[in-house]
């Protein structure tokens, strides 16, 4: 498939979509509404843009081993809308600068009650927040690396935070 969105549309429950080395440009929203895994091979990069979430995770799906670059400054990359979503070992890049008012996040979790959300082993660069979590969700946020952001926002959720790294010096973060 030429795009990740085309592969997701064609996938069946349980499938693994492997993005090979190269750059994939996705300008719309990819709705993941079946239990699948989207996994990057070494050298796979997805460039996304727009104010709407680029990935809408509406089933217990997994994003794994991807490099995802937001090429503009506003909007969220991943929206979590289901229990059991896993965001594993990805690298998220944004264009956010600390002194600017724009809001761009790697992950947004709002409303409802989602259980067993796992955000582990990811690296976040130049985004307003790695994640904005609002609602009575549960899960694990562990072993993530956060640079040039304003930090995690968790309003209400019950997440376990373990072994996350916060940038220092030239890679410092601010506090939102």
């Amino acid at each position: 498939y030429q795009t990740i969105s085309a592969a997701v549309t064609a996938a069946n429950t349980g499938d693994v979509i492997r993005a090979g080395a190269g750059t994939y440009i996705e300008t719309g929203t990819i709705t993941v509404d079946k239990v699948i895994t989207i996994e990057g091979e070494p050298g796979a990069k997805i460039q996304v843009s727009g104010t709407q979430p680029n990935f809408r995770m509406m089933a217990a799906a997994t994003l794994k081993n991807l490099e995802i670059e937001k090429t503009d400054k506003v909007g969220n990359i991943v929206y979590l809308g289901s229990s059991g979503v896993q965001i594993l070992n990805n690298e998220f890049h944004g264009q956010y600068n600390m002194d600017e008012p724009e809001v761009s996040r790697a992950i947004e979790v709002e409303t409802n009650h989602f259980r067993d959300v796992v955000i582990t082993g990811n690296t976040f660069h130049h985004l307003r927040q790695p994640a904005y979590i609002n609602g009575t969700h549960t899960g694990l946020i562990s072993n993530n690396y956060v640079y040039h952001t304003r930090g995690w926002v968790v309003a209400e959720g019950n997440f376990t935070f373990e072994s996350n790294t916060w940038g220092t010096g030239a890679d410092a973060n601010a506090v939102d």
Side-chain angles (χ1 to χ4, degrees):
Y1 297 94
Q2 296 289 48
T3 64
I4 302 299
S5 57
V8 169
T9 299
N12 294 309
T13 296
D15 282 355
V16 176
I17 297 169
R18 287 193 176 79
T23 300
Y24 301 83
I25 298 172
E26 299 284 345
T27 56
T29 297
I30 301 168
T31 299
V32 182
D33 57 359
K34 46 197 134 187
V35 179
I36 61 173
T37 297
I38 303 170
E39 181 175 3
E41 294 179 356
K45 181 178 193 175
I46 302 172
Q47 290 183 328
V48 298
S49 62
T51 59
Q52 297 299 313
N54 302 104
F55 288 90
R56 289 183 58 79
M57 307 298 284
M58 306 308 288
T62 301
L63 288 181
K64 182 177 176 183
N65 299 331
L66 294 165
E67 180 180 357
I68 303 173
E69 178 185 23
K70 182 129 180 73
T71 59
D72 54 2
K73 293 185 179 188
V74 179
N76 303 321
I77 299 170
V78 178
Y79 174 84
L80 273 62
S82 176
S83 293
V85 173
Q86 297 185 72
I87 309 296
L88 309 173
N89 305 316
N90 300 289
E91 188 162 340
F92 293 93
H93 297 272
Q95 306 300 317
Y96 178 74
N97 292 312
M98 293 290 187
D99 58 346
E100 296 178 339
E102 290 86 10
V103 176
S104 63
R105 301 175 178 110
I107 303 166
E108 176 187 18
V109 189
E110 284 198 78
T111 67
N112 298 318
H113 174 74
F114 302 125
R115 297 171 316 284
D116 304 321
V117 171
V118 177
I119 303 170
T120 299
N122 301 286
T123 303
F124 302 94
H125 299 274
H126 294 280
L127 292 150
R128 171 96 180 209
Q129 284 104 19
Y132 180 88
I133 302 168
N134 186 15
T136 57
H137 313 293
T138 64
L140 174 66
I141 297 173
S142 68
N143 297 306
N144 297 290
Y145 306 92
V146 181
Y147 305 103
H148 297 287
T149 78
R150 298 188 69 77
W152 301 85
V153 175
V154 180
E156 293 186 55
N158 187 11
F159 280 82
T160 299
F161 277 78
E162 294 178 343
S163 302
N164 295 289
T165 301
W166 187 257
T168 60
D171 292 323
N173 298 282
V175 177
D176 215 359

